[in-house]
């Protein structure tokens, strides 16, 4: 499904049919789960939406959409970002060694790795009013694609933007968005990433990319960037 999120670069009709089926399967899955949560509420996102349905002014369909959105926003992004970070770390000369030698750099390192290869490549906005950016006139209703890669590499903001610097402070990258729609799950994703990397550093001093299964980047989605396949070698 996520291949089509934000517009696919290539797809066939058969893939379209498969994606439609996946969306329907997810919908059925959440219809059943909502029934289950109605009977046995838990301390989770879905139960909170169901309990406060009237207060939030949500229809049943909107609860399903929210659940699907949260699943997509939280799952594909985190797995993609994890792989992108690992790929940069393991392919840029000396970077893995630097981090394994000094795990205290991890928070800075993760910010910098997120900056260099964001899992969410475009953020979309629809303009409400007419405005001009540089010489470009933007009319109400125009769709704007904001490239996270381009913003993250802006030389006016980042000194030596192509370099991977684990000492870079005040890292104003927008891999988790910006402003009112800043990623709701950023803290969770960063926490997950940190725990995972701490464990990799602790357990696998010889971690590297698998020699005979080279990583395969995925190319179908305009909005999500990650890997189709990514094999690691642990010793
Ligand atoms: C490394 C992982 C993640 C990345 C790179 C990421 C990236 C982003 C970005 C760029 C946006 C802004 C979209 C926009 O402005 O249009 C966003 C929004 C959002 N993210 Fe994440 N995200 C990640 C993990 C998560 C997780 C784990 C969750 C939930 C459990 C989550 C839930 C959301 C939600 C609900 C929004 C929409 C917020 C709003 O519109 O107010 N994200 N994310």
């Amino acid at each position: 499904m996520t291949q089509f999120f934000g517009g696919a670069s290539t797809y066939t009709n058969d893939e379209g049919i498969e994606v439609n089926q996946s969306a329907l399967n997810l919908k059925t899955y959440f219809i059943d789960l909502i029934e289950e949560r109605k009977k046995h509420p838990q301390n989770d996102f879905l139960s909170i939406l169901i309990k406060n349905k009237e207060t939030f002014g949500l229809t049943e369909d909107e609860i399903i959409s929210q659940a699907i959105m949260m699943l997509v926003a939280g799952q594909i992004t985190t797995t993609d970002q994890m792989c992108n970070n690992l790929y940069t770390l393991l392919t840029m000369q000396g970077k893995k060694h630097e981090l394994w030698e000094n795990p205290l750099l991890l928070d800075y390192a993760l910010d910098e790795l997120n900056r260099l290869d964001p899992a969410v490549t475009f953020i979309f906005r629809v303009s409400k009013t007419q405005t001009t950016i540089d010489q470009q006139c933007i009319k109400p209703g125009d769709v704007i694609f904001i490239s996270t890669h381009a913003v993250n590499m802006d030389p006016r903001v980042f000194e030596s933007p192509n370099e991977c610097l684990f000492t870079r402070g005040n890292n104003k990258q927008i891999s988790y968005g910006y402003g009112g729609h800043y990623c709701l799950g950023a803290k969770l994703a960063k926490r997950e990433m940190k725990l995972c990397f701490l464990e990799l550093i602790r357990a696998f001093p010889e971690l590297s990319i698998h020699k005979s299964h080279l990583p395969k980047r995925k190319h179908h989605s305009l909005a999500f960037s990650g890997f189709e396949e990514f094999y690691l070698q642990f010793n």
Side-chain angles (χ1 to χ4, degrees):
M1 258 178 74
T2 57
Q3 297 183 20
F4 286 71
F5 213 81
S9 49
T10 56
Y11 63 89
T12 61
N13 277 349
D14 281 351
E15 282 171 330
I17 291 165
E18 210 180 318
V19 168
N20 244 351
Q21 193 53 50
S22 304
L24 284 172
N25 289 347
L26 258 187
K27 187 173 176 186
T28 312
Y29 170 79
F30 278 116
I31 288 172
D32 291 348
L33 196 59
I34 286 169
E35 284 314 307
E36 164 64 24
R37 289 293 189 271
K38 277 183 186 165
K39 283 189 219 137
H40 308 289
Q42 295 191 15
N43 185 22
D44 62 17
F45 178 63
L46 207 50
S47 304
I48 291 169
L49 291 189
I50 296 164
K51 186 176 163 207
N52 298 286
K53 194 171 164 229
E54 266 78 46
T55 320
F56 294 154
L58 290 172
T59 64
E60 199 100 344
D61 266 355
E62 283 169 334
I63 293 182
I64 295 169
S65 304
Q66 285 295 318
I68 293 178
M69 193 275 285
M70 189 62 86
L71 180 67
V72 173
Q75 203 273 335
I76 189 83
T77 49
T78 313
T79 45
D80 278 348
Q81 191 67 65
M82 184 72 203
C83 291
N84 294 358
N85 290 351
L86 266 176
Y87 184 77
T88 309
L89 190 76
L90 298 176
T91 51
M92 273 197 160
Q93 185 74 27
K95 286 291 136 186
K96 187 211 135 197
H97 183 71
E98 186 182 344
L99 186 59
W100 259 239
E101 283 295 297
N102 189 358
L104 287 176
L105 290 175
L106 187 55
D107 285 330
Y108 287 122
L110 286 175
D111 270 353
E112 184 67 342
L113 294 167
N114 280 4
R115 180 183 75 82
L116 286 169
D117 197 354
V120 176
T121 43
F122 284 107
I123 295 173
F124 306 91
R125 289 293 181 270
V126 181
S127 178
K128 280 187 178 168
T129 51
Q130 178 148 333
T131 184
T132 307
I133 299 177
D134 272 346
Q135 320 255 314
Q136 179 79 40
C137 173
I138 294 160
K139 300 186 294 303
D142 278 357
V143 180
I144 305 165
F145 285 56
I146 303 158
S147 158
T148 48
H149 277 101
V151 176
N152 286 358
M153 291 284 177
D154 187 343
R156 292 166 301 184
V157 182
F158 302 99
E159 217 181 304
S160 312
N162 292 316
E163 280 182 43
C164 178
L165 302 174
F166 293 163
T167 47
R168 203 187 285 281
N170 196 19
N171 196 324
K172 290 185 179 157
Q173 39 95 7
I174 62 153
S175 301
Y176 289 99
Y178 180 79
H181 289 277
Y182 182 77
C183 176
L184 196 73
K187 278 197 173 165
L188 171 64
K190 286 183 182 192
R191 185 92 189 116
E192 286 173 339
M193 211 91 65
K194 187 168 178 181
L195 290 175
C196 189
F197 266 90
L198 280 175
E199 195 55 20
L200 288 174
I201 294 171
R202 189 194 63 77
F204 303 113
E206 303 304 327
L207 187 73
S208 64
I209 290 177
H210 203 284
K211 301 279 180 297
S212 45
H213 286 101
L214 291 184
K216 245 197 248 164
R217 277 214 95 113
K218 61 179 184 190
H219 289 293
H220 12 247
S221 168
L222 295 179
F224 293 123
S225 166
F227 286 84
E228 295 275 9
E229 288 179 15
F230 194 159
Y231 290 86
L232 294 167
Q233 211 158 283
F234 296 103
N235 45 42

